[in-house]
Amino acid sequence: MKGSYLPQPAVASTTRSKKLGFLQLLGCFSIGALFFFWDHLASPSYSSLVSSKKNKFQKCAIDTYLATGLEFLKTAERPPLEEYILRRNNLAKALVADEVDAFVVEPGYTFSYYANVTQPQWEVWEPEERPFLMVIQPHELPNGSIVANTSFLVPHFEELRAQLLNMPFPSPISTIIYEEHWNYYTTLRNASIWPSNTPSPILMIDEEMRDFIPRGLATADFTVVGLKGETEAVRQVKTPLEIGILRAVNTGTVEAIRAMRKCIPYGLTENDVAEVLDNTLRAAGMEPFFDIVEFGESAALPHGGYDGTKKLEEGDFVLIDVGAHLFGYSSDVCRTFYPPQFSLEEVDGDGKGKGKRNITQQLEVWDVVLAAQSASVKAMQTNATAASVDIAARDIITQAGYGAQFTHRLGHSLGIKAHESPYLNKGNTGVRLRPGMVFTSEPGVYVLGEFGVRHEDILVVGEEGEEAENISGGFAKSAWEP
């Protein structure tokens, strides 16, 4: 009856010990394996493998790009002095047409357009409170022609620095100086540049001017009006030299995408591809300033939003929207394509690839978007409204059943800025196109959770009856020939 208090047989204790030992060993092995694989993934050998793939991709992309001979660069010329004189004189004529006494602008894009100085070149720290203003007035010569007279309102202590900017003028610049304790705007009003019979000079200000400056001008007996009319159109209608630069930088950007596509492997991330594309563009002397690289469902957001770590997989559409600068002018183009190693032979009877992408729908949408772009080109005629060009493309996409997935305007102008006016949207009925205006045509369809397609090219409006000209290296032909 006391047997229950006796020690248990040794064999039972030994069995439990063996089980415990096995579990401990298994646990140690699992932890060790985890550390092994983690170390392997983070090891220099794994990183170097990924780096090697990217390096091979980049070398192939750059070599393929350079093999084109970069012939597109031949149309680009850095703007000479005569170009800036032409622009200011065009502005002077526009001021007369708009019945305005002067155009006033501070350092920024428009200042750069007329005098080749950007805001960072004048104020490397930040835009400051002391106005530095360029004042352009029309002047009639004895023969009746209109030319520009240009003056600069500048702090006295900055006068020499302004002269050292070497702005494109045939003679030393004319300055109106002020001391810091003076009223800047009254100083400008009292300057001798205004005819004595002008009671309240009408100043047209640039759209990018900071608000405190026009408010200050209005207190000094100036009549201030916003940018409009013929004055606004000066930058909108490009000169032949501008079109040459835009042709070069946009064609060069498309050719960089095409070269890179021939080399793109599976497994790299969107960020990897953006880096390689940037370096490819730099090989031609262009400087990239934005990239949107999206694979598969990421491209359903037109301007991105994800972190760029998605890897390229079989069946993914690749959408690339990118911009670069050349001589201060912008490119802005987009292509949607398959990598070269993907073929329709890998698509099953249901129209899906190995990654279960709906390849049939992707290609259908690709064609619809191209047809919409073609319709916009035909509609991009002199005297057409900006709205009508957008509607021409939008109708094609709507008829195909994807109207709700075309979520943005058709396009915009571009030049020294990637986005300039006029804008091609279905509400812009007040703007009529003129010869020499340059626009993007970038229709798109975005199927959330699946994919997105956008084609973007650059077009110049022709003379009456002429079709708009593509200046971005030709349109895409297929998802394998972007």
Side-chain angles (χ1 to χ4, degrees):
M1 108 182 129
K2 294 182 180 178
S4 60
Y5 296 98
L6 295 175
Q8 295 299 311
V11 64
S13 176
T14 303
T15 302
R16 284 197 300 271
S17 298
K18 286 182 178 179
K19 288 181 178 177
L20 180 60
F22 174 75
L23 291 172
Q24 289 174 332
L25 181 63
L26 181 61
C28 291
F29 175 79
S30 300
I31 293 171
L34 180 62
F35 275 109
F36 172 80
F37 286 112
W38 176 260
D39 183 65
H40 173 68
L41 289 172
S43 68
S45 59
Y46 181 80
S47 299
S48 63
L49 182 65
V50 174
S51 178
S52 175
K53 178 186 282 191
K54 187 167 72 173
N55 289 341
K56 288 179 181 177
F57 170 37
Q58 179 167 290
K59 184 178 186 307
C60 175
I62 292 175
D63 287 349
T64 304
Y65 190 40
L66 295 178
T68 66
L70 308 182
E71 293 292 314
F72 51 82
L73 291 175
K74 291 182 178 179
T75 67
E77 175 191 356
R78 189 180 297 279
L81 168 65
E82 292 75 19
E83 173 73 8
Y84 290 100
I85 294 174
L86 172 66
R87 295 176 186 181
R88 292 191 293 269
N89 287 344
N90 287 343
L91 174 61
K93 296 179 180 70
L95 292 171
V96 171
D98 290 333
E99 299 182 337
V100 171
D101 295 304
F103 181 70
V104 181
V105 59
E106 65 171 331
Y109 286 102
T110 303
F111 198 113
S112 174
Y113 180 81
Y114 290 114
N116 198 32
V117 172
T118 64
Q119 185 270 322
Q121 287 173 320
W122 175 248
E123 299 158 315
V124 295
W125 39 90
E126 62 185 6
E128 63 164 45
E129 70 283 0
R130 303 179 184 96
F132 174 44
L133 303 180
M134 178 165 58
V135 182
I136 301 177
Q137 300 169 275
H139 174 69
E140 185 175 356
L141 296 177
N143 64 5
S145 60
I146 304 297
V147 297
N149 270 358
T150 307
S151 308
F152 294 87
L153 178 71
V154 60
H156 191 184
F157 79 97
E158 298 277 40
E159 181 182 21
L160 179 57
R161 187 163 76 91
Q163 293 168 345
L164 293 174
L165 289 171
N166 292 320
M167 289 182 280
F169 289 86
S171 57
I173 63 173
S174 173
T175 58
I176 302 165
I177 61 170
Y178 63 85
E179 304 296 345
E180 294 207 64
H181 59 284
W182 295 359
N183 182 301
Y184 324 132
Y185 312 107
T186 301
T187 301
L188 179 60
R189 180 65 184 94
N190 292 335
S192 61
I193 63 174
W194 309 109
S196 58
N197 60 348
T198 306
S200 180
I202 301 173
L203 306 183
M204 186 173 286
I205 60 168
D206 181 55
E207 61 187 348
E208 297 174 349
M209 185 172 286
R210 292 171 294 168
D211 178 65
F212 74 89
I213 296 175
R215 284 191 288 111
L217 290 168
T219 67
D221 192 33
F222 288 111
T223 300
V224 179
V225 298
L227 185 65
K228 61 183 179 180
E230 295 302 306
T231 302
E232 184 177 21
V234 173
R235 260 184 65 186
Q236 293 176 343
V237 176
K238 310 307 181 189
T239 68
L241 184 138
E242 288 183 279
I243 291 173
I245 301 174
L246 288 168
R247 186 189 303 274
V249 68
N250 283 280
T251 299
T253 304
V254 167
E255 290 299 333
I257 295 173
R258 289 169 174 163
M260 187 201 66
R261 178 200 165 268
K262 295 177 181 179
C263 308
I264 191 170
Y266 291 132
L268 291 183
T269 67
E270 295 158 327
N271 290 334
D272 291 331
V273 172
E275 180 184 340
V276 168
L277 178 56
D278 283 355
N279 290 331
T280 303
L281 288 163
R282 291 186 180 107
M286 296 185 287
E287 186 53 41
F289 65 96
F290 84 89
D291 303 271
I292 300 171
V293 177
E294 301 177 299
F295 302 155
E297 60 270 19
S298 295
L301 295 182
H303 282 173
Y306 298 105
D307 62 5
T309 59
K310 177 175 170 50
K311 293 182 179 179
L312 181 60
E313 300 173 357
E314 191 172 329
D316 281 346
F317 256 155
V318 177
L319 186 153
I320 293 179
D321 192 330
V322 60
H325 286 141
L326 179 67
F327 298 150
Y329 281 76
S330 301
S331 64
D332 184 4
V333 297
C334 185
R335 288 294 186 268
T336 307
F337 57 84
Y338 286 123
Q341 59 269 41
F342 181 75
S343 73
L344 291 178
E345 295 177 1
E346 301 173 44
V347 179
D348 62 24
D350 294 325
K352 295 184 177 180
K354 292 180 181 177
K356 298 306 176 184
R357 300 286 187 197
N358 190 332
I359 306 303
T360 300
Q361 184 188 23
Q362 289 182 351
L363 290 174
E364 174 192 271
V365 168
W366 196 100
D367 288 340
V368 167
V369 175
L370 187 66
Q373 188 186 53
S374 297
S376 76
V377 175
K378 290 182 173 62
M380 200 176 288
Q381 297 276 337
T382 291
N383 289 323
T385 65
S388 68
V389 184
D390 177 287
I391 292 169
R394 199 167 299 277
D395 283 350
I396 298 294
I397 291 175
T398 300
Q399 290 164 15
Y402 291 100
Q405 284 75 45
F406 182 12
T407 54
H408 54 74
R409 68 190 176 205
L410 175 71
H412 53 84
S413 186
L414 80 167
I416 56 176
K417 289 182 68 177
H419 287 202
E420 295 185 353
S421 66
Y423 301 100
L424 302 178
N425 65 68
K426 62 182 181 180
N428 195 0
T429 57
V431 171
R432 292 194 175 272
L433 275 53
R434 306 184 186 197
M437 284 184 169
V438 174
F439 292 98
T440 67
S441 173
E442 47 182 306
V445 168
Y446 310 94
V447 183
L448 285 175
E450 297 291 335
F451 65 93
V453 174
R454 182 164 67 254
H455 307 314
E456 181 178 13
D457 282 275
I458 310 304
L459 298 141
V460 181
V461 179
E463 297 293 335
E464 189 79 39
E466 294 180 354
E467 187 169 291
E469 180 189 3
N470 183 308
I471 59 169
S472 50
F475 300 104
K477 296 179 180 177
S478 77
W480 288 268
E481 293 183 90

